[in-house]
């Protein structure tokens, strides 16, 4: 387990960060987070962002990088990850035309294995982050389980998203258990009662203590707070999630 296992996915604060990236990072640190999971570096290059992060006192737990860049610009991406000190490189999403059948997922596994091998050689860990659609069934399996079984465990790991698991009708605790040892990253979100919209961690219907326990038992390394859409000011939302989780002695 990381010394400070809580990180914040900066996508949550994308609107604020697009106006003032560094100022937003400072507010993240003021709340108490010790790490961020980045989704782009704004107008800065990796070296400039690293200098700002070091000055603020934040580390990068991982980075979401689109599949197009992973396939076409991996050397540049890896250089940026090394500069940022990011141990985890994450594929965050797959376009619909690449995930419509079981065969699509088998083909995707081959692509991820190739990327993952190069990432491993660079000394980093490559992860795949899922949404709900990877959990739609293909016979007696799902796209995500095809990836689990056909991706090389030496080179491809997973970032389990507990909200999207629940949205797909899958118990997040069970899913984390199925991916034990293969999911070093867990996205912590919550689901508002009734509406199934995104909610601050601890304010919704998901059993967060059970999820945390399952993730620890499954050897998760980082718990990453993310709220795709906030119903209140996003900084207030990420503060609420942080304070709830710290109240659980995290």
């Amino acid at each position: 387990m990381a010394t400070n296992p809580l990180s914040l996915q900066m996508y949550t604060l994308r609107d604020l960060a697009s106006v003032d990236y560094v100022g937003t990072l400072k507010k993240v640190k003021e709340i108490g987070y010790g790490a961020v999971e980045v989704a782009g570096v704004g107008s800065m290059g990796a070296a400039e962002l690293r200098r700002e992060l070091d000055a603020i006192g934040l580390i990068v737990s991982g980075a979401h990088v689109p599949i197009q860049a992973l396939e076409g610009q991996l050397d540049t991406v890896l250089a940026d990850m090394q500069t940022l000190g990011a141990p985890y490189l994450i594929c965050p999403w797959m376009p619909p035309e690449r995930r419509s059948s079981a065969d699509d997922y088998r083909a995707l596994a081959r692509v991820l294995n190739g990327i993952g091998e190069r990432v491993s050689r660079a000394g980093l860990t490559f992860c795949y982050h899922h949404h709900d659609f990877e959990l739609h069934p293909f016979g007696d399996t799902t796209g995500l389980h095809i990836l689990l079984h056909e991706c090389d465990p030496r080179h491809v790991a997973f970032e389990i998203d507990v909200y999207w698991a629940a949205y797909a009708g899958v118990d997040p605790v069970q899913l984390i258990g199925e991916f034990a040892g293969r999911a070093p990253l867990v996205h912590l979100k919550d689901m508002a009662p009734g509406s199934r919209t995104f909610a601050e961690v601890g304010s919704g219907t998901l059993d967060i203590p059970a999820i945390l326990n399952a993730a620890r038992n499954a050897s998760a390394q980082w718990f990453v707070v993310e709220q795709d859409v906030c119903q209140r000011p996003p900084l207030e939302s990420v503060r609420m999630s942080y304070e709830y989780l710290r109240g659980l002695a995290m």
Side-chain angles (χ1 to χ4, degrees):
M1 185 64 61
T3 302
N4 179 1
L6 275 183
S7 181
L8 176 70
Q9 169 51 253
M10 287 297 292
Y11 181 76
T12 311
L13 303 178
R14 58 195 177 277
D15 292 338
L16 293 170
S18 69
V19 176
D20 182 3
Y21 201 118
V22 173
T24 302
L25 288 170
K26 290 178 179 177
K27 290 182 171 64
V28 169
K29 177 64 174 180
E30 289 168 5
I31 289 170
Y33 290 95
V36 290
E37 185 179 82
V38 298
V41 296
S43 59
M44 295 177 285
E48 182 181 357
L49 177 57
R50 177 62 186 268
R51 289 193 294 271
E52 296 290 354
L53 289 164
D54 287 347
I56 294 167
L58 288 169
I59 64 174
V60 176
S61 62
H64 278 200
V65 176
I67 185 64
Q68 295 86 352
L70 295 173
E71 289 182 308
Q73 302 168 359
L74 188 55
D75 288 341
T76 299
V77 169
L78 289 172
D80 286 347
M81 295 304 100
Q82 300 281 11
T83 298
L84 290 172
Y88 293 98
L89 174 58
I90 305 128
C91 178
W93 185 80
M94 196 57 52
E97 64 271 14
R98 300 186 66 169
R99 51 175 166 86
S100 62
S101 69
D103 284 343
D104 283 345
Y105 279 99
R106 294 185 186 100
L108 175 58
R110 293 191 291 272
V111 170
L112 297 178
N113 282 335
I115 295 170
E117 184 174 2
R118 291 175 62 188
V119 174
S120 295
R121 289 202 303 266
L124 309 178
T125 299
F126 182 50
C127 294
Y128 182 85
H129 168 273
H130 71 89
H131 292 78
D132 61 315
F133 46 78
E134 288 95 346
L135 289 163
H136 294 171
F138 295 107
D140 60 356
T141 189
T142 71
L144 188 60
H145 289 86
I146 291 171
L147 295 181
L148 174 65
H149 295 300
E150 301 215 4
C151 285
D152 189 332
R154 297 172 300 172
H155 303 309
V156 182
F158 295 87
E159 182 170 55
I160 297 298
D161 189 301
V162 300
Y163 171 92
W164 288 119
Y167 192 92
V170 174
D171 179 0
V173 170
Q174 177 182 334
L175 188 66
I176 290 168
E178 292 174 0
F179 281 71
R182 296 286 302 276
L185 309 176
V186 175
H187 264 192
L188 292 181
K189 307 177 183 180
D190 216 332
M191 182 180 291
S195 66
R196 297 209 305 169
T197 56
F198 299 96
E200 292 74 22
V201 178
S203 69
T205 60
L206 301 190
D207 189 344
I208 300 299
I211 286 169
L212 294 174
N213 186 58
R216 292 188 180 103
N217 290 337
S219 300
Q221 296 298 303
W222 281 98
F223 300 100
V224 184
V225 172
E226 182 183 36
Q227 191 168 338
D228 301 43
V229 179
C230 302
Q231 304 303 319
R232 49 174 49 89
L235 281 169
E236 182 181 346
S237 290
V238 300
R239 181 185 296 277
M240 289 173 62
S241 293
Y242 178 86
E243 290 176 351
Y244 169 79
L245 291 164
R246 281 304 185 208
L248 297 178
M250 289 191 65

